[in-house]
Amino acid sequence: MILRKEYGFDAAHFIHNHPGKCRALHGHSYRLFVCLEGAVNPETGMVIDFDDLSKAVNERVLQRLDHRFLNDLIPLSTAENISVWIWEQLKPALPELSQIELFETADNCVIYRGR
């Protein structure tokens, strides 16, 4: 069973080695999809309670990224590197984590499935 939940956060960054406009300080309204894959627990009828998932995502990711300057945590803050950082924060708390989807804009997305 695959479970997927959407989150959002707003953050600023710049990409110091970018040859175009992303070199300048700017911001995005990111959309984050967190996917877990696992068996349904016969006692609960769930892979994970959505509230427990949200608690982990809020504590480990959103509180640290929302309305922040990403370069303070992720110096080369490309969508790819942000996705890896999010994975590394969530995986210890969510062993069923199978995929991160991060939309930097409505039509630009990175999908990360771990290493």
Side-chain angles (χ1 to χ4, degrees):
M1 179 81 56
I2 297 172
L3 179 143
R4 180 176 183 243
K5 185 156 173 64
E6 180 178 359
Y7 301 90
F9 64 95
D10 299 303
H13 75 140
F14 65 85
I15 301 173
H16 65 84
N17 62 355
H18 192 273
K21 64 184 181 178
C22 292
R23 184 180 191 100
L25 179 63
H26 63 285
H28 296 285
S29 292
Y30 291 91
R31 287 178 44 228
L32 171 65
F33 292 87
V34 176
C35 300
L36 305 178
E37 186 168 0
V40 175
N41 180 321
E43 292 179 22
T44 64
M46 301 178 232
V47 174
I48 188 173
D49 188 305
F50 281 113
D51 288 339
D52 294 336
L53 173 58
S54 290
K55 182 179 179 191
V57 173
N58 283 320
E59 289 177 359
R60 293 174 171 266
V61 175
L62 300 181
Q63 289 179 9
R64 298 179 68 194
L65 298 184
D66 191 37
H67 286 81
R68 305 284 188 208
F69 178 52
L70 297 179
N71 295 68
D72 286 343
L73 286 173
I74 309 157
L76 186 55
S77 55
T78 61
E80 293 87 343
N81 288 339
I82 297 166
S83 295
V84 171
W85 185 91
I86 291 170
W87 179 279
E88 291 171 349
Q89 304 314 301
L90 292 178
K91 189 64 173 175
L94 301 169
E96 304 91 350
L97 184 64
S98 61
Q99 180 170 291
I100 296 291
E101 298 172 50
L102 183 66
F103 282 80
E104 189 173 76
T105 64
D107 56 357
N108 292 326
C109 173
V110 170
I111 296 173
Y112 184 66
R113 295 184 177 138
R115 297 181 185 175

